Amino acid sequence: NAGVTQTPKFQVLKTGQSMTLQCAQDMNHEYMSWYRQDPGMGLRLIHYSVGAGITDQGEVPNGYNVSRSTTEDFPLRLLSAAPSQTSVYFCASSYSQGVQETQYFGPGTRLLVL
Amino acid sequence: SQKIEQNSEALNIQEGKTATLTCNYTNYSPAYLQWYRQDPGRGPVFLLLIRENEKEKRKERLKVTFDTTLKQSLFHITASQPADSATYLCALDIRNNNDMRFGAGTRLTVKP
């Protein structure tokens, strides 16, 4: 199993540009989530999904969109990038919602917005 | 307000000693708490989960305690090694549906 994969590893955007961060998992996990990590602030949940077709907002959802059309993929879209979105983004997955399962994290995408 | 606080940004200890990291939270009632390890440039890696009805859990040289009255978890690494040097994160599921909140982490350095 490849686990949780994320692409790209690193991206530079100009303010106002849009992009999609890709996340895929091959463990047949129902639950997937996106976090951002900023220095001194820990991981903050952006959006999460408890299964295909179902998404919900986390702690910091503004400026980001998600969709979950398949179990395997959970892309994160930035429609109009802002410098405040400069961060490291992590995707995670776990087997099921509310079953107190461990989360498996991807390697991260480093995003710089100029 | 709701907060998760890890006791210090950085902790330096000598090899062989026990490292103790603290995670305090306010205004949450989590059903469980998790601890993760994160190395520079990598994603977090799950270490241990402890439920609200468990006082202590162990895994090899790791021990976690969970005091729901004090709203505190302690994470211990016994016989620490330089390879244990990393940032350690605690996390709570605030609605028991994988809506996770993380502490900012404690960077542990174990010196030979």
Side-chain angles (χ1 to χ4, degrees), chain B residues 7-44:
Chain B
N7 59 325
S8 58
E9 282 190 19
L11 180 65
N12 297 319
I13 65 167
Q14 208 65 36
E15 182 176 7
K17 300 291 186 186
T18 296
T20 298
L21 286 64
T22 304
C23 177
N24 294 299
Y25 59 93
T26 57
N27 295 323
Y28 290 122
S29 297
Y32 64 95
L33 185 147
Q34 298 177 334
W35 283 89
Y36 288 81
R37 170 185 172 136
Q38 186 174 26
D39 292 288
R42 316 272 313 248

Side-chain angles (χ1 to χ4, degrees), chain A residues 19-38:
Chain A
M19 80 161 294
T20 298
L21 280 63
Q22 301 292 345
C23 174
Q25 52 90 11
D26 62 357
M27 298 174 281
N28 202 30
H29 284 171
E30 292 184 5
Y31 174 80
M32 296 184 74
S33 57
W34 277 103
Y35 294 87
R36 59 177 290 173
Q37 187 172 35
D38 303 294

Side-chain angles (χ1 to χ4, degrees), chain A residues 31 37 48 98 100 102 110, chain B residues 38 41 46 49 51 95 98:
Chain A
Y31 174 80
Q37 187 172 35
Y48 62 102
Q100 304 172 7
T102 180
R110 283 152 185 76
Chain B
Q38 186 174 26
F46 171 80
L49 179 153
R51 294 179 174 79
R95 293 191 287 165
N98 290 53

Side-chain angles (χ1 to χ4, degrees), chain A residues 98-100, chain B residues 1-5 23-35 49-55 64-74 90-103:
Chain A
V99 184
Q100 304 172 7
Chain B
S1 64
Q2 296 171 313
K3 279 195 264 188
I4 301 171
E5 292 180 325
C23 177
N24 294 299
Y25 59 93
T26 57
N27 295 323
Y28 290 122
S29 297
Y32 64 95
L33 185 147
Q34 298 177 334
W35 283 89
L49 179 153
I50 187 165
R51 294 179 174 79
E52 60 181 340
N53 60 349
E54 297 175 318
K55 293 225 180 291
V64 173
T65 63
F66 193 13
D67 188 326
T68 55
T69 301
L70 290 178
K71 293 189 181 293
Q72 181 181 79
S73 174
L74 299 179
C90 67
L92 312 177
D93 186 337
I94 64 170
R95 293 191 287 165
N96 201 30
N97 68 344
N98 290 53
D99 189 354
M100 304 299 294
R101 298 287 182 267
F102 280 77

Side-chain angles (χ1 to χ4, degrees), chain A residues 17-89:
Chain A
Q17 286 185 316
S18 63
M19 80 161 294
T20 298
L21 280 63
Q22 301 292 345
C23 174
Q25 52 90 11
D26 62 357
M27 298 174 281
N28 202 30
H29 284 171
E30 292 184 5
Y31 174 80
M32 296 184 74
S33 57
W34 277 103
Y35 294 87
R36 59 177 290 173
Q37 187 172 35
D38 303 294
M41 298 200 69
L43 288 149
R44 291 184 291 168
L45 184 64
I46 304 171
H47 286 284
Y48 62 102
S49 168
V50 300
I54 306 169
T55 64
D56 204 351
Q57 296 182 348
E59 188 181 2
V60 289
N62 293 341
Y64 307 95
N65 281 349
V66 292
S67 60
R68 183 96 179 269
S69 56
T70 67
T71 300
E72 294 78 21
D73 301 298
F74 190 43
L76 179 72
R77 296 183 186 83
L78 285 69
L79 297 178
S80 179
S84 61
Q85 293 179 305
T86 293
S87 188
V88 181
Y89 291 84

